[in-house]
Amino acid sequence: MEMLHKLDKHVIYLDELNSQVASLLDHSENLNYASRAAEAVLLAVRGHLSFEQSIKFLNFLPLPFKAIYIKNWNVNDCIPERINSMNEFFEEVYMFDPTLCHNDYCDQNEIKKIVRAVFKVIGLHVSGENLSRELSFLPNDLRIYLEAEGVAIKSNGSDSSIWLS
């Protein structure tokens, strides 16, 4: 019975995270959409991090997002690909779930909004202790984009960033 109570707690937390993502995406009633959006973003990020970087990234994620990140993960395939451009990264998020767009023509601004919302929610759940840690392992283009969107800010380090809370 204790195990079921713990699972309920995690399901409630996942619903809370999805609700926050949904709210930022103006889909307040559609937790399924928010869940798919979070999964697409997290899996796209995973493809660009080495195993060691993924472990560091997992340390920052809220537990329900950790579960999404490691879903069907084959650690033997951790050969990170460079993000050549943010447009390419947005296309990759779209490829993980083309139903995130509301029609056949996917406005890239929709995907940008999804990436921003997912990272904003992650930032809301990072502890104060973790805020002081640097996330220099994130791909440079992604960090620059998040900084420009106000989701992450540069730390005092020369080439690093931290989450906003």
Side-chain angles (χ1 to χ4, degrees), residues 97-117:
D97 191 342
T99 65
L100 293 173
C101 294
H102 303 295
N103 54 39
D104 291 336
Y105 172 73
C106 183
D107 180 7
Q108 197 171 74
N109 287 326
E110 287 182 68
I111 300 299
K112 287 180 181 181
K113 191 174 179 181
I114 288 168
V115 171
R116 180 177 47 243

Side-chain angles (χ1 to χ4, degrees), residues 21-135:
V21 171
S23 177
L24 289 170
L25 295 174
D26 300 324
H27 284 271
S28 298
E29 302 301 317
N30 195 343
L31 297 185
N32 183 6
Y33 179 83
S35 176
R36 293 189 340 258
E39 181 174 355
V41 171
L42 291 171
L43 296 182
V45 169
R46 185 175 80 188
H48 297 284
L49 300 180
S50 69
F51 176 75
E52 292 79 15
Q53 291 168 329
S54 285
I55 296 301
K56 289 179 182 178
F57 187 61
L58 279 167
N59 285 331
F60 289 97
L61 292 177
L63 187 61
F65 281 1
K66 288 179 185 186
I68 292 168
Y69 188 87
I70 65 171
K71 177 182 175 182
N72 299 323
W73 188 23
N74 183 349
V75 296
N76 294 323
D77 293 338
C78 287
I79 302 170
E81 297 177 18
R82 178 167 159 48
I83 295 178
N84 293 320
S85 71
M86 284 311 297
N87 289 339
E88 184 179 297
F89 180 76
F90 296 138
E91 288 175 22
E92 192 173 332
V93 171
Y94 169 75
M95 294 305 291
F96 274 105
D97 191 342
T99 65
L100 293 173
C101 294
H102 303 295
N103 54 39
D104 291 336
Y105 172 73
C106 183
D107 180 7
Q108 197 171 74
N109 287 326
E110 287 182 68
I111 300 299
K112 287 180 181 181
K113 191 174 179 181
I114 288 168
V115 171
R116 180 177 47 243
V118 170
F119 276 97
K120 187 77 166 178
V121 169
I122 292 169
L124 293 172
H125 293 269
V126 173
S127 72
E129 175 185 320
N130 286 340
L131 281 174
S132 65
R133 295 184 188 170
E134 298 179 3
L135 296 177

Side-chain angles (χ1 to χ4, degrees), residues 134-150:
E134 298 179 3
L135 296 177
S136 59
F137 55 84
L138 283 177
N140 193 44
D141 287 347
L142 182 55
R143 284 183 297 131
I144 291 169
Y145 170 75
L146 294 173
E147 290 164 1
E149 291 298 319

